[in-house]
Amino acid sequence: MNDATNDVREHAGEHDAWLAALDGELRRRGIEPGLARHVVAEAAAHLRDSRQPPLAAFGRPDVYAAAVADSVGEPVSGARRPPPGPVRLEARGIVKRYRRRPVLAGVDLTVRAGQIAAIVGANGCGKSTLLRICAGMVSPDRGRVHVHGTLGYCPQDGGTSEFLVPDEHFVLVGAGRGMGRAAAVGAGRAHAAALDWNPAGAGQARLLSGGTRQKLNLVMAGLGDPDVLLLDEPYQGFDRGAYVDFWHQLWRWRDAGKAIVVVTHLLDRLDRVDTVLDLTPVPEPEIRA
Amino acid sequence: MTKVLTVADMTLREILRRRAVLVIIAMMPLAFYLSRRGDHLGQSIRFVCLGLGWALSTAALFTGGAARGLEPRLRLSGYRAHQLYLGRLVALWAAGGLLSAPYFLLILVDQDGVSHGAIALIMVLTVAVAAPFGLALSALLPRELEGTLLLLTVVGLQMIMDPADASSRLLPFWFSREIATYAVDHTDTSYLARGLVHGAVCALVLTALVALLSATRLRRRPHLRFVT
Amino acid sequence: MLAALVRRESYGYELAQSLDAAGLGPIRGGTLYPVLLRLQRTGMVTAQWREGEAGPARKYYRITESGGEVLRRTAADWESFAGGVSAILREVAAR
């Protein structure tokens, strides 16, 4: 056996591993399986023709998969989406001060069924406060919130019970929504699978990593199909893949007719939401004595 | 009812999984008991009951603290405030029963010549009072350290204050000493009656306080309206 | 890219080679295919899997009518832009 055959075989192994990784990454990004197969086959043909190592020709599989996903757009294209439904959440004239410092000065927000609203803004501009006001956990100084239907809320952190395993969380939240134990666990695990997480046999919440705990939080918020979902930066601790899964979950919820409010400071997905509410305060002119 | 039982079930699981705390809490009354075993019969019984009260109050304090973050979202998921605190109370009462049973058996075997019925009554009242006491403390003092210190103070006062002093009746476990006196020294039933009333009133007042605090914290705020 | 497809339909690697030969430098597969996908999605090109003259199946891209239209418009825009720039540059050179 000479060096050349060795070389070819090594390359073949390298190609296969890279292509398999690409296939996985494409699927995880919700690329439709038929298209994913084509993308992989095309990359394979290119590698064969060019005799380049995959990393040189295409870069890392996850990065290339992300570029492909960006090019084909989200799985459900905007054109095919039904028009937004009735108003689900309506906040009018929300005013909130903390120790006389105004945090929210007359904020309005309307979200309809089948819409995603993003609340953005610098740290401390009242994003979480607005969400908690919408959830009824904090009272505003002025203003009102009308919710048409049921609410699900996912906090930034906390909100889980340290000594309970994920399934028990599902049972607990599910009972509140009137679901039986088996139904709640089934629904919870199905939601978790969409986030590429298998909670069966997972340990107590305190032993989960930050990202996994947030997945648990997110699943709990969606349990029992609430009409309005309030999500406060729920992706803390998510790796890149989980972050992508998270947005796909959001789009699925939207396509199922939910009204979604998501607090975010990451602006890279704002083209994929329907409303953006920027709470960054407009600096007031300084008054000098 | 399903909701109350589900909360109770999950709370009980939480309590049973805090192994280290559980061991300490279970041993506390035993340490109290043995420390006074030598000198006076009544003292050791009184101390074991105080130890039970302290242990269960601490467990309730931790349970209440752990539930703080979860309760608002459970409220949003369709629970009413009373379902949440009743579920926790049921779990804590059950845990208190489990904790007390071996100590009751210990006294039954170890101590003759005392009224065991009255001692059972002390334990029932202690459990009934300690659970809402710990939960109320956790609602009033969000940080567990502060709550633990206050518990320590209350139980410390309970041990050193003269029970004849009127102000000592303000302490939640005062009844324990009264009924213990009846049980050990076979005094007249006025001790029993006083203790019973004190214990029942404490349990009721503290439970009402827990209900009030929980309802306030988890109230539906007027700015938010659900339109159906 | 559209201009390279105007002459005849082609597949990814061949396109990369012809663009390289046209002096645009080597183009990585990682850059090339996402662009083709975007063109395909926006209806500028169509694609079809076919057996090549030699070797395995390849995905051939062909420019569509709207793709040709965009190309003509872009070419016209470029023409007028380049015309403007070269006029200025001629002035600079004449000084």
Side-chain angles (χ1 to χ4, degrees):
Chain A
M1 202 183 288
N2 60 33
D3 280 353
T5 26
N6 254 339
D7 204 36
V8 167
R9 285 201 184 164
E10 256 168 43
H11 273 151
E14 189 191 347
H15 287 187
D16 288 348
W18 188 90
L19 290 168
L22 174 63
D23 190 44
E25 289 292 337
L26 287 170
R27 275 159 211 279
R28 138 170 257 180
R29 278 167 177 75
I31 304 289
E32 183 248 321
L35 177 61
R37 233 179 9 256
H38 283 188
V39 169
V40 172
E42 192 172 33
H46 183 96
L47 291 174
R48 238 183 350 254
D49 289 337
S50 68
R51 289 159 201 272
Q52 277 179 316
L55 279 175
F58 290 96
R60 272 177 28 209
D62 55 332
V63 176
Y64 181 53
V68 168
D70 276 344
S71 293
V72 297
E74 58 190 272
V76 180
S77 77
R80 269 188 290 143
R81 268 175 52 212
V87 171
R88 288 275 181 237
L89 177 87
E90 196 178 15
R92 284 279 161 272
I94 303 294
V95 174
K96 181 74 182 172
R97 291 182 200 86
Y98 273 124
R99 296 202 182 91
R100 296 181 58 202
R101 186 174 69 89
V103 180
L104 300 168
V107 173
D108 296 330
L109 177 66
T110 304
V111 192
R112 294 171 171 276
Q115 279 192 326
I116 301 179
I119 303 180
V120 302
N123 285 341
C125 69
K127 301 187 295 272
S128 294
T129 304
L130 178 60
L131 212 65
R132 295 170 65 81
I133 288 172
C134 289
M137 292 174 184
V138 172
S139 293
D141 294 323
R142 239 183 301 147
R144 58 177 175 78
V145 177
H146 284 183
V147 172
H148 301 254
T150 47
L151 268 181
Y153 172 75
C154 179
Q156 212 168 2
D157 50 31
T160 56
S161 185
E162 300 276 282
F163 289 85
L164 295 182
V165 303
D167 282 352
E168 290 162 345
H169 284 86
F170 304 153
V171 168
L172 194 54
V173 173
R177 301 266 188 219
M179 301 164 81
R181 291 192 172 219
V185 169
R189 288 189 180 178
H191 276 123
L195 296 170
D196 196 26
W197 172 46
N198 177 13
Q204 298 168 19
R206 70 198 166 98
L207 304 173
L208 301 176
S209 73
T212 311
R213 204 186 300 210
Q214 278 308 93
K215 287 182 184 177
L216 172 59
N217 246 330
L218 204 57
V219 172
M220 286 165 75
L223 218 55
D225 273 343
D227 301 300
V228 179
L229 281 152
L230 306 171
L231 313 172
D232 193 354
E233 294 193 52
Y235 43 73
Q236 310 255 335
F238 280 8
D239 58 22
R240 168 87 201 163
Y243 183 65
V244 171
D245 292 337
F246 161 69
W247 279 96
H248 281 284
Q249 177 66 43
L250 241 56
W251 293 324
R252 269 193 297 276
W253 273 332
R254 177 180 69 183
D255 295 336
K258 314 250 171 259
I260 300 159
V261 183
V262 56
V263 168
T264 177
H265 61 253
L266 302 172
L267 305 171
D268 63 328
R269 292 285 161 165
L270 291 189
D271 54 331
R272 307 280 173 85
V273 304
D274 303 284
T275 314
V276 177
L277 175 64
D278 191 347
L279 292 180
T280 307
V282 180
E284 286 174 35
E286 263 181 61
I287 299 163
R288 286 176 199 193
Chain B
M1 195 60 192
T2 321
K3 292 181 184 175
V4 175
L5 288 181
T6 308
V7 175
D9 175 11
M10 295 305 154
T11 307
L12 210 51
R13 289 178 195 221
E14 268 175 12
I15 297 173
L16 294 178
R17 280 179 198 159
R18 292 177 180 248
R19 296 271 160 72
V21 176
L22 212 57
V23 168
I24 298 171
I25 283 178
M27 299 317 277
M28 205 150 41
L30 185 64
F32 276 41
Y33 182 79
L34 293 179
S35 71
R36 288 306 175 102
R37 172 82 177 71
D39 46 88
H40 180 59
L41 194 66
Q43 282 296 68
S44 64
I45 290 178
R46 221 161 55 78
F47 268 66
V48 81
C49 291
L50 267 185
L52 279 175
W54 192 9
L56 191 61
S57 308
T58 312
L61 180 77
F62 281 108
T63 301
R68 270 188 101 80
L70 195 61
E71 283 193 333
R73 70 184 307 187
L74 288 180
R75 179 82 178 82
L76 268 183
S77 313
Y79 285 93
R80 310 287 298 273
H82 72 270
Q83 292 166 332
L84 292 171
Y85 70 75
L86 278 182
R88 307 240 178 263
L89 276 177
V90 166
L92 286 163
W93 283 329
L98 288 176
L99 187 65
S100 312
Y103 286 104
F104 182 70
L105 289 177
L106 175 68
I107 294 171
L108 204 58
V109 173
D110 197 36
Q111 312 252 7
D112 298 326
V114 294
S115 161
H116 289 114
I119 288 168
L121 179 67
I122 300 176
M123 289 189 170
V124 168
L125 284 175
T126 300
V127 168
V129 169
F133 182 47
L135 282 185
L137 276 187
S138 82
L140 289 170
L141 301 169
R143 277 184 281 271
E144 281 175 355
L145 180 63
E146 294 161 1
T148 315
L149 287 176
L150 194 67
L151 261 183
L152 196 69
T153 313
V154 167
V155 177
L157 281 176
Q158 198 88 65
M159 285 178 181
I160 57 173
M161 267 177 88
D162 176 6
D165 190 340
S167 58
S168 72
R169 295 188 185 205
L170 289 175
L171 295 170
F173 298 111
W174 179 81
F175 66 85
S176 163
R177 183 167 198 148
E178 292 297 289
I179 305 179
T181 307
Y182 166 82
V184 177
D185 302 329
H186 305 286
T187 53
D188 64 281
T189 50
S190 68
Y191 279 87
L192 175 67
R194 270 201 305 274
L196 187 60
V197 169
H198 181 267
V201 167
C202 275
L204 282 176
V205 167
L206 287 168
T207 304
L209 183 61
V210 168
L212 182 73
L213 292 171
S214 177
T216 311
R217 202 163 65 84
L218 299 172
R219 72 188 179 280
R220 175 132 293 160
R221 299 181 191 248
H223 75 274
L224 178 66
R225 269 192 37 215
F226 284 91
V227 190
T228 42
Chain C
M1 193 81 75
L2 288 173
L5 282 171
V6 140
R7 270 167 274 155
R8 62 190 172 92
E9 63 169 1
S10 177
Y11 58 92
Y13 180 61
E14 198 180 55
L15 267 172
Q17 279 181 314
S18 58
L19 289 171
D20 192 6
L24 294 177
I27 293 177
R28 291 167 74 235
T31 316
L32 177 74
Y33 293 101
V35 173
L36 284 170
L37 276 170
R38 206 167 300 150
L39 289 174
Q40 190 184 348
R41 183 177 58 128
T42 49
M44 304 286 128
V45 300
T46 55
Q48 202 183 5
W49 281 86
R50 238 172 325 113
E51 301 284 328
E53 297 100 50
R58 296 194 177 99
K59 190 175 176 185
Y60 281 84
Y61 294 87
R62 180 202 290 272
I63 192 161
T64 62
E65 215 148 279
S66 69
E69 178 55 35
V70 167
L71 178 62
R72 270 191 296 284
R73 231 179 311 125
T74 313
D77 287 352
W78 174 258
E79 204 67 36
S80 69
F81 173 72
V85 171
S86 40
I88 293 168
L89 290 180
R90 266 200 303 279
E91 254 176 60
V92 172
R95 246 180 238 174

